[in-house]
Amino acid sequence: MRFDVITLFPELIETYCSSSIIGRAQKQDLIAVNPINPRDFTSDKHRTVDDTPYGGGAGMVLMCDPIFQAVESVERQENSELIMLTPQGEIYNHETAKELSKKDQLILICGHYEGFDERIREGLKPREISIGDYVLTGGELGALAIIDSVTRLLPGTLGKDESAIHDSFFSGLLEHPHYTRPPEYREMKVPDVLLSGNHKEIDKYRRKQSIKRTYERRSDLFKIFEKSGLSKEDKIILKELGYLQEK
Ligand code: ADE
């Protein structure tokens, strides 16, 4: 999987992507991250990439030509997607991450300043993605959120102990709580069942905690889970939790 990131701040992308699991994935050639700076496609002394908006108003607008040229400099693979990071885009989530992880190449356009010249949208027709209903100073955090969440879904990226299967959202439920040594800390105890060595009971406890957390924190996800064709075991757990009325 290749990520080409159009950004005025390539060092932000490089720094993040050289650490931890993403850094390791790069070293293992599972992914390649290639930042491209639109300033490299300017011809004036100041390497200008933005200008004041026509019609007046605050802030600066990213100009067409450096962005078009930066995008056009990327060698497009067949199975690729062009994405613009913008607060006006569709909201990013786990489903989108799964979908994007099937691509061979993502080209991510990061904005900065007030916004993009509208003809960048019109001419390049990128898919527009937002990472949440708030405005960032630039698209880099969005691009990194995509690179990170997509990379960890690629086979071979996570060690077997880090498997994505148990992640929150993978199964449509939030993840169960985790504990490690010591068994008691400041009078807070690890639940006995986790120390019992009884794996059937441990699995049941974790499933129950997952369901409970989802019910308490994310009623939107819980509603989808409830309608998803519950297993016999899940129905028993729901009854125990009092979330399912006995008929
Ligand atoms: N650029 C500025 N705000 C953003 C957001 N919320 N998501 C993606 N890109 C952005």
Side-chain angles (χ1 to χ4, degrees), residues 28 54 78 105 112 120 136 138 149 161 170 172 206 237 241:
Q28 292 174 336
Y54 278 126
E78 211 168 285
Q105 180 186 37
H112 242 272
I120 295 171
L136 298 161
S149 54
D161 294 340
F170 196 93
R206 287 182 168 159
I237 290 174
L241 288 166

Side-chain angles (χ1 to χ4, degrees), residues 10-191:
E11 65 283 0
L12 292 179
I13 305 295
E14 274 156 6
T15 306
Y16 185 84
C17 293
S18 58
S19 312
S20 186
I21 291 172
I22 308 304
R24 190 176 71 194
Q26 279 209 80
K27 284 204 191 91
Q28 292 174 336
D29 279 335
L30 293 165
I31 61 160
V33 182
N34 175 39
I36 299 146
N37 192 340
R39 278 195 206 284
D40 295 341
F41 299 89
T42 55
S43 45
D44 65 313
K45 194 168 90 197
H46 300 291
R47 311 213 306 152
T48 309
V49 291
D50 57 350
D51 207 339
T52 52
Y54 278 126
M60 299 292 273
V61 176
L62 280 172
M63 296 157 72
C64 289
D65 196 52
I67 303 289
F68 270 77
Q69 287 212 49
V71 170
E72 285 161 2
S73 77
V74 176
E75 200 181 315
R76 282 294 278 271
Q77 292 174 23
E78 211 168 285
N79 183 22
S80 80
E81 182 127 25
L82 179 65
I83 293 168
M84 174 190 273
L85 280 308
T86 158
Q88 299 182 14
E90 60 181 286
I91 303 278
Y92 189 65
N93 62 21
H94 184 68
E95 286 310 306
T96 318
K98 278 201 292 197
E99 186 193 330
L100 296 182
S101 72
K102 303 203 173 78
K103 300 276 172 189
D104 295 328
Q105 180 186 37
L106 299 181
I107 304 164
L108 302 159
I109 309 173
C110 304
H112 242 272
Y113 314 115
E114 203 50 42
F116 297 93
D117 186 306
E118 188 61 20
R119 291 164 295 184
I120 295 171
R121 288 189 167 89
E122 216 179 293
L124 295 174
K125 300 191 173 44
R127 177 171 180 176
E128 298 184 34
I129 292 184
S130 162
I131 58 162
D133 284 342
Y134 41 79
V135 180
L136 298 161
T137 55
E140 284 75 13
L141 280 175
L144 289 172
I146 292 178
I147 294 170
D148 191 295
S149 54
V150 166
T151 298
R152 60 194 303 293
L153 295 176
L154 301 177
T157 301
L158 299 181
K160 72 174 171 10
D161 294 340
E162 303 159 330
S163 166
I165 295 171
H166 301 295
D167 284 350
S168 290
F169 305 116
F170 196 93
S171 62
L173 291 172
L174 299 181
E175 221 183 341
H176 58 75
H178 299 274
Y179 297 89
T180 187
R181 272 171 278 275
E184 186 170 343
Y185 181 72
R186 300 192 183 182
E187 295 179 17
M188 293 179 283
K189 285 190 175 157
V190 175

